[in-house]
Amino acid sequence: VTSVIFLASLSEYDMYLQEDSRKNRAEESLQLFQTILRYPWFKKSVHHTFLEQKETYSRKSFPSPTSQNYFPAYKGPPGDIEGGKKFMTKLYQDAHDDVTEDKTRSLFIHLTCATDTKNIRLVFNAVRSTVINTFMVENGLL
């Protein structure tokens, strides 16, 4: 497996699972992300994480005054959307770093909006380049 694509909703930081009303969706997503990282099949894979729904997230104004109820580690001011995006991105980077033994394994985090075709084209071109470069390196072509 050359690359793994993981999709998570950026805007679900304040929502709970339908099947378990005590479990935060973003926390569940982070746990699933770490589980996937631990699978032996993906130990040498490049990982691309898409934090989707950035437009919905921006409308919710993370961090809202209640954001610290969901993520007490967030210390930034309410309404700092860019600071909130950096915080959520760092959560995935830290989750990756916590379970990754091979520190050379790459993680690329992309903030995306599925309805923004220019953004999606840019992200998929970056993913395609990574897949091609990884293949070429692994096969001695680069």
Side-chain angles (χ1 to χ4, degrees):
V1 177
T2 327
S3 292
V4 174
I5 296 176
F6 185 82
L7 180 66
S9 175
L10 187 61
S11 66
E12 291 184 348
Y13 69 89
D14 61 349
M15 299 173 75
Y16 292 89
L17 298 177
Q18 189 170 2
E19 62 273 16
D20 182 354
S21 61
R22 296 168 296 164
K23 184 72 172 177
N24 178 278
R25 288 183 182 187
E27 289 175 358
E28 174 82 359
S29 177
L30 282 163
Q31 288 173 354
L32 177 60
F33 177 66
Q34 285 186 313
T35 298
I36 290 168
L37 289 171
R38 286 186 182 102
Y39 285 137
W41 309 285
F42 307 136
K43 292 279 185 195
K44 296 183 183 210
S45 301
V46 174
H47 293 263
H48 293 272
T49 299
F50 290 23
L51 297 179
E52 176 51 20
Q53 297 181 337
K54 69 178 183 178
E55 76 290 350
T56 304
Y57 167 86
S58 295
R59 283 196 304 271
K60 283 181 146 181
S61 296
F62 180 93
S64 68
T66 60
S67 297
Q68 290 181 331
N69 295 343
Y70 308 106
F71 291 97
Y74 179 76
K75 301 299 182 198
D80 180 6
I81 293 169
E82 291 307 311
K85 286 178 186 177
K86 287 178 184 173
F87 175 77
M88 296 301 285
T89 299
K90 186 171 179 347
L91 287 177
Y92 281 89
Q93 183 66 57
D94 290 348
H96 172 267
D97 294 348
D98 287 347
V99 301
T100 300
E101 297 166 10
D102 179 4
K103 298 304 177 190
T104 64
R105 179 167 71 176
S106 298
L107 170 67
F108 297 95
I109 300 174
H110 309 277
L111 298 174
T112 61
C113 172
T115 59
D116 180 349
T117 55
K118 184 178 177 183
N119 173 254
I120 292 299
R121 189 174 298 118
L122 178 73
V123 170
F124 275 108
N125 285 337
V127 171
R128 184 179 57 212
S129 287
T130 302
V131 170
I132 291 169
N133 285 340
T134 302
F135 175 82
M136 292 178 77
V137 167
E138 287 178 356
N139 290 288
L141 301 171
L142 268 184

